[in-house]
Structure formats: C-alpha cells, structure tokens
Amino acid sequence: MTVERNLAVVMDPIAGIKYAKDSTLAMLLAAARRGWRLWYLELADLTLRDGVARGSARALTVRADPVNWFTLGEARELALGELDCILMRKDPPFDTEYIYTSYILERAEAAGALVVNRPRGLRDMNEKVYTAWFPQCCAPTLITRDMARMGAFLAEHGRIVAKPLHGMGGRSIFVVEAGDKNANVIFETLSDYGSRFGIVQKYLPEIVETGDSRILLVDGEPIPYALARIPDASDHRGNLAAGAKGVGRPLNDRDRWLAAEIGPKLAAEGMLFVGLDVIGGFVTEINVTSPTGIRELDKQFGLDIGAVLMEAIERRL
C-alpha cells in the first residue's frame, strides 16, 4: 500500500529561483516523482497561535520545465504539525527573522512534523563557528572581536582569510597578507571597531588550483562526488555566486575521512542535508542553512541527489 506523504517547503519566492541551479527545486521534483503532495510557504505565511504552528499554504505542482516549472493553488490554512515533512529552504542571511522562523518550525516539529534541517540545529550550528566542534578537520582558525589578536594571527601565518560570521555567497571575504597596509582597516571593518565577532583563517593556497569543494552529506553519508568551485583568475573566492566555476570530482580519501568525522554527528542532530566546504583537505564551513550544489552534480554525473534525500526522509518517517 502506497502512503501519500504531505511535504511542505518554506523558501524564498519560487518564481525568482534559477531553474538550472536551484537545489530546492531538485528536491521538490524528486518528491513529486514519488507521488508526494507538495505545499508551498514563504516566511510571511507562517504564524504561531497559542503554541500551535500554522501556515497559509498553497498546493504546489512542479515540473522539469525551464520556462514553466511551477503552479500554485489557492491558499489553505494548515496546522504545520500535521504535515509529514517540512523542508526549511529559506536562504540566508541567518538573521533574527530566520531565528523566529526556526521557533515556529520547532513547534511544528513538536507536533509531529519532520523538519529538514532540524530547527534547533539551524540555530545552534552557525556555518562558520560550528567548525570549532571539529578542530581536527580544520585549518588554524580564530574567532574574535579583538583587532590586535587578528593582527597577531596574520603575523603568525603570513596570509589569512578574514570574513564576517553572518556572510554568505562570498560576500565581504578578504585575503590579507602580512605587511598589507589595509590590514587594520579590514579588521576594523570586520569587527566594527571591536564591537562584533569576526573569523580569520589561515589562507589555503590550494583554492587557486583545486578550488573550494562542496561535499554534500545526506543523513550523514557523503554523495560520492564533490563540486569543486574554482575561482575566476581575477578573484580569490570559491563561491558560485561570486563567479567561480563548478567542476565535479570524485571524493578522495581525505574527503571521506572528513565526512566520517562530521557526518554521523550532524545526522544524530537531525541535520539531513549538509554541505561541507573543503579547501586543501580542510573544512572551512559547515553549511546547514539551505545548502546547494545538487543540480551541478546531478548534471555532471547523472545523479539524482534529490531522490537520495527523499529516501532518507522516508526512512526517518
């Protein structure tokens, strides 16, 4: 007997996505192929009334059509806890509105819905700070407000990467070399003159040749290929949003070791879809808020990562 599943997605406006690159759409297409009933919500559709998470949801139909990939039905009030699964796929920034949304979704989780990724994990696992839970996997890293400590870290390593803790898509990432007269200005900007935390990491030169690789974990297990994002010759950032080129490659032994160190811990915490960013064999970020990379790997290697995720969700259900 086939059980009809009700799966809702919380996302940015679906009309504005990039069809060829959007990982959320890949997930929804995989769910539709399984016969699951789909519902669509944006943040403005969510409410919390007397402890009950509710949403003004619209029935969603998706198609593998680059011109006409979705249709929305009329809005219907739903108790979110009655859904089988909710995909939290709202893109960062991870701001206070994101946190409030996680509280609403946690109430839906308490009422019976499987939320992917788990709301508490979204709050607890900052994509840059959470690397500190796995220091054996990471290059030297310092998180501080203290500009003098940032300067000392630069002097120690000679060349570093400096970035804000709340950034995404390669925004406000600086490569700083010892002797750079702009270093103090960068540290002032990063820390807002010592009033907020920033992160500095040892520069990993491998990014120039082998790129910043995204390893996707589904319920703790790695997809067997990584997406190496090679910076443009005029830039240092391995982010597709910043113009990097995505080139797939098989996982190597170091990749598999990193996945084995980190994957089971995240799976145990309910983080079913995670992206590890790896440069030169070291993890630089652990992405839990709406990771991407599905479409590029599917296309290059004939995969169906969305289906792998749906199978993991079904096992959890």
Side-chain angles (χ1 to χ4, degrees):
M1 178 180 177
T2 301
V3 177
E4 182 184 60
R5 300 292 189 187
N6 280 278
L7 180 144
V9 62
V10 178
M11 62 184 293
D12 291 303
I14 192 170
I17 67 174
K18 295 182 179 178
Y19 171 85
K21 294 185 176 182
D22 195 81
S23 290
T24 303
L25 182 60
M27 297 175 186
L28 295 171
L29 288 168
R33 289 193 296 270
R34 301 176 86 83
W36 295 5
R37 191 175 186 185
L38 304 180
W39 300 92
Y40 170 86
L41 303 110
E42 297 175 20
L43 295 197
D45 298 316
L46 302 175
T47 59
L48 186 61
R49 173 67 187 269
D50 300 328
V52 178
R54 303 189 67 84
S56 180
R58 286 173 280 180
L60 171 65
T61 302
V62 291
R63 292 172 291 273
D65 181 341
V67 177
N68 182 27
W69 59 84
F70 76 99
T71 301
L72 293 175
E74 293 295 321
R76 174 179 169 184
E77 190 76 8
L78 296 178
L80 299 182
E82 296 177 1
L83 296 163
D84 294 292
C85 180
I86 302 170
L87 296 178
M88 175 47 169
R89 292 291 299 174
K90 172 71 177 69
D91 284 340
F94 190 90
D95 53 15
T96 52
E97 289 300 302
Y98 210 110
I99 291 172
Y100 298 148
T101 301
S102 76
Y103 291 136
I104 296 174
L105 294 178
E106 189 165 0
R107 293 304 300 159
E109 179 185 58
L114 173 67
V115 182
V116 179
N117 283 320
R118 191 176 187 187
R120 182 170 296 179
L122 293 176
R123 292 196 302 272
D124 289 352
M125 299 177 186
N126 176 276
E127 303 189 338
K128 298 174 179 65
V129 179
Y130 196 63
T131 58
W133 272 247
F134 305 96
Q136 73 277 18
C137 300
C138 304
T141 300
L142 171 68
I143 295 170
T144 185
R145 288 183 168 197
D146 190 322
M147 293 178 285
R149 292 182 186 274
M150 293 180 183
F153 189 86
L154 172 59
E156 178 183 353
H157 295 288
R159 196 176 191 190
I160 65 172
V161 174
K163 50 191 175 181
L165 293 178
H166 62 276
M168 60 165 286
R171 296 175 187 173
S172 302
I173 295 178
F174 299 92
V175 173
V176 191
E177 296 190 18
D180 188 336
K181 292 183 178 180
N182 289 310
N184 287 336
V185 176
I186 291 170
F187 298 151
E188 290 166 0
T189 302
L190 185 65
S191 69
D192 194 14
Y193 293 88
S195 66
R196 66 186 180 206
F197 287 99
I199 183 170
V200 290
Q201 296 171 315
K202 179 182 177 181
Y203 177 80
L204 300 170
E206 292 87 349
I207 191 171
V208 176
E209 298 295 332
T210 58
D212 182 347
S213 292
R214 167 64 55 82
I215 300 172
L216 295 177
L217 304 177
V218 177
D219 204 5
E221 293 295 325
I223 298 300
Y225 299 91
L227 184 66
R229 297 159 297 176
I230 312 295
D232 182 88
S234 63
D235 208 326
H236 61 261
R237 295 170 296 175
N239 302 85
L240 298 180
K245 179 182 179 182
V247 179
R249 63 166 179 80
L251 297 189
N252 56 39
D253 289 343
R254 174 70 176 182
D255 296 329
R256 286 186 283 270
W257 181 80
L258 293 171
E261 289 288 299
I262 298 173
K265 167 67 173 175
L266 270 65
E269 296 294 334
M271 314 309 281
L272 268 66
F273 189 68
V274 175
L276 306 181
D277 289 349
V278 177
I279 302 173
F282 295 99
V283 172
T284 60
E285 294 188 15
I286 299 174
N287 291 272
V288 299
T289 51
S290 196
T292 62
I294 287 180
R295 300 302 285 271
E296 293 86 353
L297 290 175
D298 279 357
K299 182 177 180 181
Q300 292 184 39
F301 298 105
L303 306 176
D304 189 350
I305 298 170
V308 176
L309 177 60
M310 294 306 128
E311 289 167 6
I313 289 172
E314 201 155 54
R315 289 195 299 271
R316 293 274 181 145
L317 293 173

